[in-house]
Amino acid sequence: MKFDEKVISYFESCTSPVDKEGYLSKKGEIKTSYHKRWCVLKGNLLFYKDRPADRDLTGVIVLEGCTVQLCESEEQFAFSLVWSDPGLRTYKFAAEDQASQESWIKALLSANHNYLTLLVMDLEKKYRDALVEFPNEPTNPFTMPNFNTAEAFQGAQSSAVPSFPAVPSFPAAGVAAGAGLSSNQMLQAPTLSSRSANKRSPKLWPKRSANVVPVNTPAAAVGEWLGVCLGTKNEFIQLHEDFGKEVKELIADWSKRGRGEEAAGVGNLIDFG
Amino acid sequence: MRFNEKELVSLSRQPSEMAAELGMRGPKKGDVVKKRLVKLVVNFLFYFRTDEEEPIGALLLEQCRVEREDSQSFSIAFLDEAERKYLFECDSEEQCGEWVDSIVKASYEFMRKNLIFYRTEIHRLTGKDPLEQYGISDETRFQVNNGLQLTPRDTSSL
């Protein structure tokens, strides 16, 4: 299967946010000894290379469809990425200490696309509730870079789904300029004329990141998000609780195995209280 | 560079709402439009020969530019390089719009920006940080200034 290495490498090295990075020992794929690797987690991709400054990536693991588990190992602070399909491999890692192990496990468990999709849906709903609850607050022209009335939303509105322009305190798209909101594309979802509206805003990424997708502001109606979401969990809060249970179980299991003197630093973890 | 190909192939088999036969032209000079089954799964675009089980390739939909080329076709470009620009031909304007929309929204970076936007706005309106409830307020990936990287990255202490 074709997989463009240059594009993947670029994604690893570009200035987009890193979710976690650090050294991990990784069990070899052919030989079974552990090698120290510099690992970089961005989104649902785990990159690994010999040293932080290396340009060449040794490899990348796409973190979809796997769970993170503690595992038996001659190494301490070990954990593994496990895919459920038979025939799919298990990746074994070992962290430097307990804190690092827990931190990596947490990060990897929530790295999958579905987690973030559900979290965003959840926040979107809270945002809409907040708008209803506080209708007189002026909108904040949130200066996210790369505002662009991408044509992305042109064909994507369904009139049956309530969307932001319908909220009463906001001016309709056509008169947005008068309210000093012309730079806030958030409100102008569906009714833009096609090409002319797609001019890129001067407030762009520097040249290096000019390849970023022309991002529209998050005016997506709930219906659109649901169309994109492939998850089996209906609500983020459910996913989050399940996720927390998984982490708690992992830590309890780890403690039972008698490794380490202290009970796991539960205080570091998500508080469900 | 190694990648977990089998797991990616497995991912490509997941059900997806965005899967259709489109005309697809590869990025190299001399590439012609061919009919391909194109499927969007999470932030990957897989493409198959019709009726084949295993995808020919996978495109990672991060750091790419998605643009409408004309009423029924769109392109995805990587690294601002002409040799890495893929063209897709749809059957209708509506279908084309749906694809562009879905691809844009599938990107992890796009979702992250949305999340930061909502978080900031909810906090501004209600005084509450919605991520506190989940205990994830401190995660680097949800911080407001995350994308700017003004200092050299050093998140190894996380």
Side-chain angles (χ1 to χ4, degrees), chain A residues 3-6 8-9 47 57-60, chain B residues 1-3:
Chain A
F3 198 56
D4 192 337
E5 291 187 12
K6 194 172 174 193
I8 304 299
S9 282
F47 302 95
L57 282 178
T58 312
V60 62
Chain B
M1 184 178 83
R2 295 180 221 137
F3 67 96

Side-chain angles (χ1 to χ4, degrees), chain B residues 12-70:
Chain B
S12 77
R13 296 207 187 101
Q14 266 192 27
S16 164
E17 288 198 13
M18 291 305 289
E21 250 191 354
L22 302 178
M24 178 177 173
R25 191 180 73 203
K28 306 235 162 56
K29 217 171 171 181
D31 277 354
V32 294
V33 175
K34 294 183 184 156
K35 227 177 180 32
R36 294 286 181 244
L37 174 62
V38 180
K39 192 173 178 189
L40 175 66
V41 183
V42 298
N43 51 349
F44 280 92
L45 196 69
F46 295 100
Y47 51 101
F48 304 70
R49 277 186 202 94
T50 319
D51 292 340
E52 278 187 14
E53 288 258 313
E54 189 165 313
I56 306 168
L59 301 176
L60 171 69
L61 301 170
E62 303 290 340
Q63 298 289 313
C64 59
R65 188 201 310 265
V66 187
E67 275 176 341
R68 206 65 182 257
E69 291 291 324
D70 58 44

Side-chain angles (χ1 to χ4, degrees), chain A residues 138-156:
Chain A
T139 56
N140 179 13
F142 188 62
T143 50
M144 266 166 50
N146 213 16
F147 261 11
N148 189 328
T149 57
E151 296 168 87
F153 281 95
Q154 265 198 316

Side-chain angles (χ1 to χ4, degrees), chain A residues 85-154:
Chain A
D85 265 350
L88 298 184
R89 58 162 300 163
T90 294
Y91 287 86
K92 280 190 166 183
F93 293 92
E96 291 175 329
D97 52 43
Q98 183 197 330
S100 172
Q101 179 193 35
E102 283 177 21
S103 174
W104 272 105
I105 289 176
K106 261 179 72 179
L108 293 167
L109 272 173
S110 61
N112 63 81
H113 197 267
N114 187 44
Y115 179 97
L116 191 57
T117 302
L118 290 177
L119 179 54
V120 175
M121 276 174 64
D122 185 72
L123 286 202
E124 196 227 6
K125 181 173 185 308
K126 289 191 163 79
Y127 174 58
R128 292 171 59 187
D129 292 345
L131 287 174
V132 169
E133 203 183 329
F134 301 92
N136 296 318
E137 293 281 333
T139 56
N140 179 13
F142 188 62
T143 50
M144 266 166 50
N146 213 16
F147 261 11
N148 189 328
T149 57
E151 296 168 87
F153 281 95
Q154 265 198 316

Side-chain angles (χ1 to χ4, degrees), chain A residues 140-150 181-186 197 199-205 214-218, chain B residues 117:
Chain A
N140 179 13
F142 188 62
T143 50
M144 266 166 50
N146 213 16
F147 261 11
N148 189 328
T149 57
L181 295 171
S182 52
S183 66
N184 185 353
Q185 313 295 6
M186 175 182 81
K199 287 277 190 313
R200 315 201 79 202
S201 152
K203 295 183 293 201
L204 283 182
W205 297 111
V215 172
N216 197 338
T217 55
Chain B
F117 173 82

Side-chain angles (χ1 to χ4, degrees), chain B residues 2-15:
Chain B
R2 295 180 221 137
F3 67 96
N4 51 335
E5 180 163 352
K6 277 199 194 153
E7 287 71 28
L8 256 188
V9 172
S10 173
L11 181 67
S12 77
R13 296 207 187 101
Q14 266 192 27

